[in-house]
């Protein structure tokens, strides 16, 4: 018994010694880290006080603190930032679909302000601002080296006021100025129309209205066409869509998927990851889908394109998307401010992270740019063509009934409309042609 007690005591002592040997260095490391953090905070306090006391001009202490907080957040990545109470209020308004400004989504790239995309129908879009443009000056003042929020602040102003931004664009030899009149931006999240036998869903942003607009717009177009059997497919146009709410991207993807994963998010800790799955029900009832993307398609747009592509529910056409594969969480702060913090990366159903890589289209189709010289040449060289029917005394085709002739003329009119669309929007025309081809194959196999 005595030996047992001694053995137990020896084991206890050994355990204490071992624990002390392991935990001791860890505690010392934690203590050193904490000490270093406090030293850095003391350094911040010293600098703060010296600026208040000795800077050449009197400064607002509150603005200094806000600038320090913003600098800390923007040093992490281009999408993390501090939102002042005014900025936080404007962001909440924007997600509801109406706000004041130019109508462009911007990011920062190596110190430059880069246009992710202009929003359809806004002053920036109408002034000709394009995805990929770099903004170098605002009203003659350089934005190089400014924090993104500071550059955005320069572009804000009263509705109706003029702003001149200087742009650098690939393919243009020199920077050029664009004059824009600020306006209240009222976003229509989804615009729908029928082009021939194809329903086109133009999704401009992902805000609170997106899924509702898409669902009602698609239903209306199908009813006007005479039912789902009267259409050959759907084009979801996500070009120049800068993204928005993750929840809306999930709902839009789910609208056309019957089952399976839509997207997953992974944070720093394993337990922070989430998976979002589709529920039964397809608004398109199995009709083929083409998704259009380009370099201005970002974030939520890429979630939708990636999900439909991975499930082989849609053919993705266009050019490589922007490549924003991170999730930002907006966290309220005291005094009604907020911070936007990158908290996770998202992954497509196949496990792809598109961060910095983007979604690659199944079929790459560039949107050709027409120069002024080409347009002038077309006006002078495109003459009305002549056919057999135009010749004097040509024979009539009496083998066709009147109804058959009307059908041929209607088909010809559709073909001419498609040709005209190629001049206006080559990528959309290409997408519609794909659906025509799929419809023709499906009809011939019945």
């Amino acid at each position: 018994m005595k030996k047992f007690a001694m053995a137990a005591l020896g084991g206890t002592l050994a355990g204490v010694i071992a624990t002390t040997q392991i935990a001791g260095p860890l505690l010392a490391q934690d203590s050193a880290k904490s000490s270093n953090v406090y030293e850095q905070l003391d350094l911040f306090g010293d600098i703060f006080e010296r600026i208040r006391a000795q800077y050449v001009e009197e400064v607002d202490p509150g603005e200094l603190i806000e600038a320090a907080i913003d600098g800390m957040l923007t040093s992490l990545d281009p999408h993390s930032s501090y939102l002042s109470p005014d900025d936080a209020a404007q962001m909440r308004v924007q997600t509801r679909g109406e706000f004041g400004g130019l109508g462009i989504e911007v990011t920062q790239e190596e110190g430059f302000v880069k246009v992710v995309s202009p929003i359809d129908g806004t002053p920036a879009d109408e002034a000709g601002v394009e995805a990929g443009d770099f903004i170098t000056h605002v009203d003659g003042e350089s934005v190089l080296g400014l924090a993104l929020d500071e550059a955005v602040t320069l572009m804000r102003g009263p509705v109706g006021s003029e702003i001149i931004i200087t742009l650098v664009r690939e393919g243009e030899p020199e920077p050029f100025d664009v004059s824009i009149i600020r306006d209240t931006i009222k976003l229509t999240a989804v615009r729908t129309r029928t082009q021939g036998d194809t329903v086109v869903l133009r999704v401009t942003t992902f805000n609170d209205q997106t899924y509702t607009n898409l669902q009602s717009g698609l239903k209306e177009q199908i009813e006007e066409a005479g039912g789902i059997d009267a259409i050959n497919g759907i084009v979801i146009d996500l070009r120049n869509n800068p993204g928005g709410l993750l929840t809306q991207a999930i709902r839009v993807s789910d609208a056309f998927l019957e089952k399976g994963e839509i997207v997953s998010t992974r944070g720093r800790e394993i337990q922070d990851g989430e998976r979002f799955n589709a529920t039964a029900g397809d608004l398109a009832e199995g009709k083929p889908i083409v998704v259009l993307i380009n370099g201005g398609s970002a974030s939520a747009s890429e979630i939708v394109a990636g999900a439909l592509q991975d499930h082989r529910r849609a053919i993705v056409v266009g050019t490589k998307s922007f490549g924003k594969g991170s999730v930002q969480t907006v966290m309220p702060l005291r005094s009604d401010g907020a911070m936007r913090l990158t908290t996770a990366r998202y992954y497509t159903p196949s496990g792809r992270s598109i961060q910095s890589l983007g979604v690659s289209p199944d079929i790459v189709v560039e949107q050709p740019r027409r120069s002024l010289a080409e347009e002038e040449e077309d006006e002078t060289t495109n003459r009305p063509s002549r056919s057999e029917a135009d010749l004097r005394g040509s024979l009539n085709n009496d083998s066709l009934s009147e109804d058959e002739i009307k059908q041929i003329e209607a088909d010809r009119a559709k073909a001419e409309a498609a040709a005209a669309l190629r001049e206006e929007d080559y990528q959309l025309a290409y997408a519609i042609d794909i659906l025509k081809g799929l419809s023709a194959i499906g009809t011939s196999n019945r």
Side-chain angles (χ1 to χ4, degrees):
M1 184 69 180
K2 191 173 181 180
K3 287 182 180 179
F4 177 79
M6 290 297 292
L9 181 59
T12 302
L13 287 171
V16 171
I17 292 168
T19 303
T20 304
Q21 288 175 340
I22 295 170
L26 291 176
L27 289 170
Q29 288 176 14
D30 288 342
S31 178
K33 286 181 181 178
S34 297
S35 176
N36 187 50
V37 169
Y38 287 124
E39 286 177 6
Q40 294 292 318
L41 289 173
D42 286 341
L43 175 61
F44 172 79
D46 290 343
I47 293 171
F48 176 73
E49 288 301 330
R50 291 198 180 190
I51 292 172
R52 288 184 63 191
Q54 299 178 16
Y55 186 65
V56 65
E57 294 177 356
E58 188 174 348
V59 292
D60 185 322
E63 291 181 359
L64 280 180
I65 297 293
E66 284 192 0
I69 293 170
D70 191 47
M72 178 169 55
L73 287 165
T74 54
S75 70
L76 300 173
D77 65 79
H79 307 294
S80 295
S81 62
Y82 170 71
L83 300 172
S84 68
D86 288 344
D87 292 339
Q90 184 171 357
M91 184 210 65
R92 287 189 287 269
V93 170
Q94 183 168 341
T95 59
R96 291 196 295 270
E98 183 175 325
F99 57 97
L102 305 181
I104 51 174
E105 178 81 8
V106 294
T107 187
Q108 202 157 36
E109 189 173 293
E110 298 180 358
F112 293 94
V113 177
K114 183 178 182 180
V115 177
V116 175
S117 66
I119 300 168
D120 283 2
T122 61
D125 179 49
E126 292 170 0
V129 178
E130 296 182 3
D133 287 347
F134 286 92
I135 300 173
T136 61
H137 294 75
V138 174
D139 288 332
E141 184 176 343
S142 174
V143 297
L144 181 61
L146 291 181
L148 186 60
D149 284 348
E150 293 175 314
V152 169
T153 299
L154 282 180
M155 288 185 272
R156 290 184 183 138
V159 170
S161 61
E162 182 186 25
I163 178 175
I164 297 175
I165 59 175
T166 305
L167 300 177
V168 171
R169 178 177 297 167
E170 185 179 355
E172 295 290 338
E174 298 290 338
F176 57 95
D177 291 340
V178 174
S179 173
I180 305 175
I181 304 298
R182 297 180 178 94
D183 199 359
T184 299
I185 310 302
K186 295 182 179 180
L187 296 182
T188 302
V190 182
R191 287 199 283 271
T192 60
R193 74 179 196 272
T194 299
Q195 187 81 37
D197 297 325
T198 303
V199 174
V200 180
L201 304 175
R202 171 69 181 127
V203 185
T204 60
T205 188
F206 287 87
N207 61 25
D208 287 340
Q209 306 168 15
T210 302
Y211 175 75
T212 303
N213 287 173
L214 182 141
Q215 183 185 38
S216 59
L218 178 58
K219 181 181 178 182
E220 181 181 331
Q221 294 299 316
I222 290 173
E223 288 176 352
E224 288 182 2
I228 192 71
D229 292 334
I231 68 169
N232 61 15
I234 295 170
V235 174
I236 303 175
D237 187 353
L238 298 175
R239 291 174 298 174
N240 295 330
N241 183 321
L245 300 176
L246 173 64
T247 52
Q248 289 292 312
I250 292 167
R251 293 192 72 187
V252 169
S253 302
D254 191 8
F256 303 103
L257 294 173
E258 293 280 4
K259 61 181 181 179
E261 183 179 303
I262 294 172
V263 67
S264 62
T265 62
R266 304 176 200 173
R268 186 164 68 180
E269 304 296 336
I270 295 176
Q271 63 268 24
D272 293 335
E274 287 186 276
R275 292 181 184 275
F276 301 91
N277 296 311
T279 56
D282 176 3
L283 294 182
E285 297 185 28
K287 288 286 182 177
I289 297 172
V290 173
V291 174
L292 280 176
I293 61 171
N294 64 3
S297 307
S299 190
S301 301
E302 295 171 296
I303 290 175
V304 174
L308 298 182
Q309 183 183 55
D310 281 2
H311 284 286
R312 300 187 182 278
R313 181 63 187 92
I315 300 170
V316 178
V317 173
T319 56
K320 185 173 73 69
S321 63
F322 186 74
K324 180 183 177 293
S326 59
V327 179
Q328 283 69 48
T329 303
V330 177
M331 305 174 182
L333 300 173
R334 63 187 68 182
S335 302
D336 295 328
M339 71 173 177
R340 185 191 291 113
L341 187 67
T342 300
T343 53
R345 288 183 173 88
Y346 69 76
Y347 295 78
T348 68
S350 64
R352 291 182 296 158
S353 169
I354 56 102
Q355 176 60 32
S356 300
L357 298 176
V359 173
S360 297
D362 299 306
I363 303 173
V364 176
V365 179
E366 297 281 351
Q367 184 81 296
R369 287 183 179 175
R370 292 168 58 82
S371 67
L372 184 61
E374 288 174 327
E375 291 176 359
E376 289 175 350
E377 183 181 351
D378 282 351
E379 289 178 4
T380 57
T381 59
N382 283 350
R383 304 259 195 273
S385 59
R386 301 187 68 189
S387 68
E388 169 73 13
D390 297 317
L391 298 179
R392 183 179 298 174
S394 62
L395 298 175
N396 292 326
N397 189 331
D398 56 7
S399 65
L400 298 175
S401 68
E402 188 174 336
D403 288 342
E404 287 173 326
I405 292 172
K406 287 181 179 178
Q407 183 60 49
I408 289 172
E409 290 174 346
D411 290 342
R412 183 184 296 129
K414 286 183 180 179
E416 289 173 353
L421 182 61
R422 288 188 195 97
E423 294 294 320
E424 179 187 336
D425 189 338
Y426 183 79
Q427 289 175 323
L428 177 59
Y430 196 103
I432 290 173
D433 285 344
I434 289 174
L435 293 174
K436 283 181 182 175
L438 291 173
S439 177
I441 293 171
T443 302
S444 65
N445 288 338
R446 285 178 188 147

